[in-house]
Amino acid sequence: MSIYYDINGVDVYNSSTYLFENENYTVNYIYYKGMRVPLNYQFVARVPETVKLEAPLYNVQISAVSAFGTPVNASINMTFDNGTQLNSYLGESGTLNFTNVPYGHMYGYVEYLGIKKSVILSGAA
């Protein structure tokens, strides 16, 4: 998985870069899991330091239950904006977890006994 970020309009492909003291910098986005995740994080370089970036990534859990409230092993078909597709089953617990999903970039459906329900995570990112 390649990760890079944009700082003041320049793509940086490694975890460290040289910054000038007392200069204003903006990290516009990071490139993560095949897509740009906007950050617009601003800071001033004062001393040698580590700058930690917090990206809007979320853990998502999809669950399916029957009309009686019991978990169902439904099939799931999900597509991420970077083109990755996932076809799987929720399992006996009726639950599947996704980690570090960029906000607003996942959609598809859950199907059980011929009934399909859409799953759309939409956001401003």
Side-chain angles (χ1 to χ4, degrees):
M1 165 179 27
S2 63
I3 298 175
Y4 69 84
Y5 53 97
D6 168 283
I7 187 164
N8 286 4
V10 177
D11 290 340
V12 177
Y13 291 90
N14 53 30
S15 62
S16 64
T17 189
Y18 182 82
L19 303 175
F20 293 98
E21 186 177 8
N22 294 320
E23 292 285 329
N24 293 319
Y25 292 95
T26 301
V27 178
N28 297 306
Y29 63 84
I30 63 169
Y31 186 81
Y32 179 74
K33 290 190 174 182
M35 60 190 303
R36 288 182 181 190
V37 178
L39 292 185
N40 295 317
Y41 176 76
Q42 298 178 355
F43 67 97
V44 175
R46 301 263 184 234
V47 296
E49 65 181 313
T50 299
V51 176
K52 294 184 180 182
L53 304 173
E54 292 188 21
L57 303 175
Y58 299 90
N59 294 334
V60 176
Q61 183 180 76
I62 297 177
S63 299
V65 295
S66 71
F68 303 105
T70 57
V72 294
N73 185 16
S75 65
I76 185 167
N77 180 315
M78 299 303 298
T79 301
F80 299 85
D81 275 359
N82 66 2
T84 302
Q85 292 188 335
L86 172 70
N87 297 307
S88 187
Y89 289 90
L90 297 179
E92 289 181 19
S93 67
T95 301
L96 190 59
N97 295 308
F98 299 92
T99 58
N100 296 324
V101 176
Y103 182 69
H105 298 279
M106 184 175 157
Y107 58 93
Y109 61 88
V110 175
E111 183 174 8
Y112 185 71
L113 298 176
I115 299 171
K116 285 186 181 180
K117 279 300 230 184
S118 294
V119 176
I120 301 172
L121 301 178
S122 59

